[in-house]
Amino acid sequence: MNNAKQKELIELLKAEKRALQRKINSLDETISLFEITVDKEILTEIDDGYDKNASLKNKINFFFKKESRFLHNRELAELANEREPNISVKDFIRKFSQHLSQLKKDGKLTKYVVNKQNNNTFWGSPKWLDSNNEIIEQYKYKDKYVKKTGSKDLFDL
């Protein structure tokens, strides 16, 4: 093999090496991104303290302690669904409903109904109400969970 052909072959091999190095660098970046994502998920689970294997009552208790305010069943379900996306919000609503009522019977929770509409029921600690059975401001529910009524009077049809 003459010098010119050897030099040409060397340049081709160097170009192939550069192309492979770019692929390796790209793979290293992708791996790093996945490792960061996994680390964040692990840290979130550890920092959050949520236990997917806990009883439904303990899960409800977890959210009340964490949020420290009145919560709508839908909001509870959404918070649980964020941590357990394999269970739908609708399923969590159904599962939590019975337990919320039982916790009320046990005196651990109270319900607060906004605008005299049952779909505007918020749950919280009896300690979060003042002497007039109104919510103490710091424990107030999120307004976005209050359903607005657009119902008309029967004679306004």
Side-chain angles (χ1 to χ4, degrees), residues 10 19 25 32-33 47 49-50 60-61 81-82 88 100 105 107 109-111 119 127 130-132 135 137 142 154 157:
I10 290 171
N25 292 342
S32 292
L33 288 172
D47 291 344
Y50 182 81
I60 290 168
N61 187 46
N81 173 258
E82 286 173 8
S88 72
L100 290 167
K105 281 183 187 175
L109 287 180
T110 188
K111 70 179 191 176
N119 63 348
K127 297 175 187 174
D130 64 18
S131 58
N132 297 321
I135 298 175
E137 188 61 32
K142 286 186 177 179
L154 179 61
L157 297 176

CSV table of all heavy atoms in Angstrom, one decimal, residues 10 19 25 32-33 47 49-50 60-61 81-82 88 100 105 107 109-111 119 127 130-132 135 137 142 154 157:
chain,number,residue,atom,x,y,z
A,10,ILE,N,-6.2,6.4,6.8
A,10,ILE,CA,-6.1,7.0,8.2
A,10,ILE,C,-7.1,8.1,8.4
A,10,ILE,O,-7.8,8.2,9.4
A,10,ILE,CB,-4.6,7.6,8.4
A,10,ILE,CG1,-3.7,6.4,8.5
A,10,ILE,CG2,-4.6,8.5,9.6
A,10,ILE,CD1,-2.2,6.8,8.6
A,19,ALA,N,-17.2,10.4,14.4
A,19,ALA,CA,-18.6,10.1,14.3
A,19,ALA,C,-19.0,9.2,15.5
A,19,ALA,O,-20.1,9.4,16.1
A,19,ALA,CB,-19.0,9.5,13.0
A,25,ASN,N,-20.9,10.5,23.0
A,25,ASN,CA,-21.3,11.7,23.8
A,25,ASN,C,-22.8,11.9,23.9
A,25,ASN,O,-23.3,12.2,25.0
A,25,ASN,CB,-20.6,12.9,23.2
A,25,ASN,CG,-19.1,12.9,23.3
A,25,ASN,OD1,-18.5,12.2,24.1
A,25,ASN,ND2,-18.5,13.7,22.5
A,32,SER,N,-27.3,10.5,31.3
A,32,SER,CA,-27.3,11.4,32.4
A,32,SER,C,-28.6,12.0,32.7
A,32,SER,O,-29.1,12.2,33.8
A,32,SER,CB,-26.3,12.6,32.1
A,32,SER,OG,-25.0,12.1,32.1
A,33,LEU,N,-29.4,12.4,31.6
A,33,LEU,CA,-30.7,12.9,31.8
A,33,LEU,C,-31.6,11.9,32.4
A,33,LEU,O,-32.4,12.2,33.3
A,33,LEU,CB,-31.3,13.3,30.4
A,33,LEU,CG,-30.7,14.6,29.8
A,33,LEU,CD1,-31.3,14.7,28.4
A,33,LEU,CD2,-31.1,15.8,30.6
A,47,ASP,N,-38.7,12.4,50.1
A,47,ASP,CA,-39.0,13.6,50.8
A,47,ASP,C,-40.5,13.8,51.1
A,47,ASP,O,-40.9,14.4,52.1
A,47,ASP,CB,-38.6,14.8,49.9
A,47,ASP,CG,-37.1,15.0,49.8
A,47,ASP,OD1,-36.4,14.4,50.6
A,47,ASP,OD2,-36.6,15.7,48.9
A,49,GLY,N,-42.9,11.4,51.6
A,49,GLY,CA,-43.3,10.5,52.7
A,49,GLY,C,-44.6,9.8,52.3
A,49,GLY,O,-45.2,9.1,53.2
A,50,TYR,N,-45.1,9.9,51.1
A,50,TYR,CA,-46.3,9.2,50.7
A,50,TYR,C,-46.0,7.7,50.6
A,50,TYR,O,-45.0,7.3,50.0
A,50,TYR,CB,-46.8,9.8,49.4
A,50,TYR,CG,-48.1,9.1,48.9
A,50,TYR,CD1,-49.3,9.5,49.4
A,50,TYR,CD2,-48.1,8.1,47.9
A,50,TYR,CE1,-50.5,9.0,49.0
A,50,TYR,CE2,-49.3,7.5,47.5
A,50,TYR,CZ,-50.5,8.0,48.0
A,50,TYR,OH,-51.6,7.4,47.6
A,60,ILE,N,-55.5,9.4,53.2
A,60,ILE,CA,-56.3,10.6,53.4
A,60,ILE,C,-55.7,11.5,54.5
A,60,ILE,O,-55.5,12.7,54.4
A,60,ILE,CB,-57.8,10.2,53.8
A,60,ILE,CG1,-58.5,9.6,52.6
A,60,ILE,CG2,-58.5,11.4,54.4
A,60,ILE,CD1,-59.8,9.0,52.9
A,61,ASN,N,-55.3,10.8,55.6
A,61,ASN,CA,-54.6,11.5,56.7
A,61,ASN,C,-53.3,12.2,56.2
A,61,ASN,O,-53.0,13.3,56.6
A,61,ASN,CB,-54.3,10.5,57.8
A,61,ASN,CG,-53.8,11.2,59.1
A,61,ASN,OD1,-54.3,12.2,59.5
A,61,ASN,ND2,-52.7,10.6,59.6
A,81,ASN,N,-53.7,10.7,42.8
A,81,ASN,CA,-53.4,10.3,41.4
A,81,ASN,C,-52.1,10.7,40.9
A,81,ASN,O,-51.4,10.1,40.1
A,81,ASN,CB,-54.5,10.8,40.5
A,81,ASN,CG,-54.3,10.5,39.1
A,81,ASN,OD1,-53.9,11.4,38.3
A,81,ASN,ND2,-54.5,9.3,38.6
A,82,GLU,N,-51.6,11.9,41.4
A,82,GLU,CA,-50.3,12.4,41.1
A,82,GLU,C,-49.2,11.4,41.5
A,82,GLU,O,-48.2,11.3,40.9
A,82,GLU,CB,-50.0,13.7,41.7
A,82,GLU,CG,-50.8,14.9,41.1
A,82,GLU,CD,-50.6,16.2,41.9
A,82,GLU,OE1,-49.8,16.2,42.8
A,82,GLU,OE2,-51.3,17.1,41.5
A,88,SER,N,-57.1,5.9,38.6
A,88,SER,CA,-57.7,7.1,38.1
A,88,SER,C,-58.3,8.0,39.2
A,88,SER,O,-58.5,7.5,40.3
A,88,SER,CB,-58.9,6.8,37.1
A,88,SER,OG,-60.0,6.3,37.8
A,100,LEU,N,-64.1,9.1,54.0
A,100,LEU,CA,-64.4,10.4,54.5
A,100,LEU,C,-65.6,10.5,55.4
A,100,LEU,O,-65.6,11.1,56.5
A,100,LEU,CB,-64.5,11.4,53.3
A,100,LEU,CG,-63.2,11.7,52.5
A,100,LEU,CD1,-63.6,12.4,51.2
A,100,LEU,CD2,-62.2,12.5,53.4
A,105,LYS,N,-68.0,10.4,61.0
A,105,LYS,CA,-68.7,9.7,62.1
A,105,LYS,C,-67.8,9.5,63.3
A,105,LYS,O,-68.3,9.6,64.4
A,105,LYS,CB,-69.2,8.3,61.6
A,105,LYS,CG,-70.4,8.4,60.7
A,105,LYS,CD,-70.9,7.0,60.4
A,105,LYS,CE,-72.0,7.0,59.4
A,105,LYS,NZ,-72.4,5.6,58.9
A,107,GLY,N,-65.6,11.4,64.3
A,107,GLY,CA,-65.2,12.7,64.8
A,107,GLY,C,-63.9,13.2,64.5
A,107,GLY,O,-63.4,14.2,65.0
A,109,LEU,N,-63.0,14.0,61.3
A,109,LEU,CA,-63.1,15.0,60.2
A,109,LEU,C,-64.5,15.7,60.4
A,109,LEU,O,-65.4,15.1,61.0
A,109,LEU,CB,-63.1,14.4,58.8
A,109,LEU,CG,-61.7,14.0,58.3
A,109,LEU,CD1,-61.9,13.4,56.9
A,109,LEU,CD2,-60.7,15.1,58.3
A,110,THR,N,-64.6,16.9,59.8
A,110,THR,CA,-65.9,17.5,59.7
A,110,THR,C,-66.1,17.9,58.2
A,110,THR,O,-65.1,18.0,57.5
A,110,THR,CB,-66.0,18.8,60.6
A,110,THR,OG1,-67.3,19.3,60.6
A,110,THR,CG2,-65.0,19.9,60.2
A,111,LYS,N,-67.3,18.1,57.8
A,111,LYS,CA,-67.5,18.6,56.5
A,111,LYS,C,-68.1,20.0,56.5
A,111,LYS,O,-68.8,20.4,57.4
A,111,LYS,CB,-68.4,17.6,55.7
A,111,LYS,CG,-69.9,17.6,56.0
A,111,LYS,CD,-70.6,16.6,55.1
A,111,LYS,CE,-72.1,16.8,55.3
A,111,LYS,NZ,-72.8,15.9,54.4
A,119,ASN,N,-72.3,19.0,46.3
A,119,ASN,CA,-71.1,18.8,45.5
A,119,ASN,C,-70.0,19.8,45.8
A,119,ASN,O,-68.9,19.8,45.3
A,119,ASN,CB,-71.4,18.9,44.0
A,119,ASN,CG,-72.0,20.2,43.5
A,119,ASN,OD1,-72.4,21.0,44.3
A,119,ASN,ND2,-72.1,20.4,42.2
A,127,LYS,N,-61.0,21.2,64.3
A,127,LYS,CA,-60.2,22.2,64.9
A,127,LYS,C,-60.0,23.4,64.0
A,127,LYS,O,-59.5,24.5,64.4
A,127,LYS,CB,-58.8,21.7,65.4
A,127,LYS,CG,-58.9,20.6,66.4
A,127,LYS,CD,-57.6,20.0,66.7
A,127,LYS,CE,-57.7,18.9,67.6
A,127,LYS,NZ,-56.4,18.2,67.8
A,130,ASP,N,-64.0,28.0,63.4
A,130,ASP,CA,-64.1,28.9,64.6
A,130,ASP,C,-65.4,28.6,65.4
A,130,ASP,O,-66.1,27.6,65.1
A,130,ASP,CB,-64.0,30.4,64.1
A,130,ASP,CG,-65.2,30.8,63.2
A,130,ASP,OD1,-66.2,30.1,63.2
A,130,ASP,OD2,-65.1,31.8,62.5
A,131,SER,N,-65.7,29.4,66.3
A,131,SER,CA,-66.8,29.2,67.2
A,131,SER,C,-68.2,29.3,66.5
A,131,SER,O,-69.2,28.8,66.9
A,131,SER,CB,-66.8,30.1,68.4
A,131,SER,OG,-66.8,31.5,67.9
A,132,ASN,N,-68.2,29.9,65.3
A,132,ASN,CA,-69.4,30.0,64.5
A,132,ASN,C,-69.5,29.0,63.4
A,132,ASN,O,-70.2,29.1,62.4
A,132,ASN,CB,-69.4,31.4,63.8
A,132,ASN,CG,-69.6,32.5,64.8
A,132,ASN,OD1,-70.3,32.4,65.8
A,132,ASN,ND2,-68.9,33.6,64.5
A,135,ILE,N,-64.8,28.3,58.6
A,135,ILE,CA,-63.4,27.9,58.4
A,135,ILE,C,-62.5,29.1,58.8
A,135,ILE,O,-62.7,30.2,58.4
A,135,ILE,CB,-63.1,27.5,57.0
A,135,ILE,CG1,-64.0,26.3,56.6
A,135,ILE,CG2,-61.7,27.2,56.8
A,135,ILE,CD1,-63.9,25.9,55.2
A,137,GLU,N,-59.4,31.2,58.4
A,137,GLU,CA,-58.8,31.6,57.1
A,137,GLU,C,-57.6,30.8,56.7
A,137,GLU,O,-57.5,30.4,55.5
A,137,GLU,CB,-58.4,33.1,57.1
A,137,GLU,CG,-58.0,33.6,55.8
A,137,GLU,CD,-59.1,33.6,54.7
A,137,GLU,OE1,-60.3,33.7,55.0
A,137,GLU,OE2,-58.8,33.4,53.5
A,142,LYS,N,-59.4,25.6,48.6
A,142,LYS,CA,-59.1,26.3,47.3
A,142,LYS,C,-60.3,26.6,46.6
A,142,LYS,O,-61.2,25.7,46.3
A,142,LYS,CB,-58.1,25.5,46.4
A,142,LYS,CG,-56.7,25.4,46.9
A,142,LYS,CD,-55.8,24.7,45.9
A,142,LYS,CE,-54.4,24.7,46.4
A,142,LYS,NZ,-53.5,24.0,45.4
A,154,LEU,N,-87.1,27.4,38.6
A,154,LEU,CA,-88.0,26.6,37.8
A,154,LEU,C,-88.9,27.5,36.9
A,154,LEU,O,-89.2,27.1,35.8
A,154,LEU,CB,-88.9,25.8,38.8
A,154,LEU,CG,-90.0,24.9,38.1
A,154,LEU,CD1,-89.3,23.8,37.3
A,154,LEU,CD2,-90.8,24.2,39.2
A,157,LEU,N,-87.7,29.1,33.0
A,157,LEU,CA,-87.4,28.3,31.9
A,157,LEU,C,-87.7,28.9,30.6
A,157,LEU,O,-88.1,29.5,29.9
A,157,LEU,CB,-88.1,26.9,32.0
A,157,LEU,CG,-87.8,26.1,33.2
A,157,LEU,CD1,-88.6,24.9,33.2
A,157,LEU,CD2,-86.3,25.7,33.1
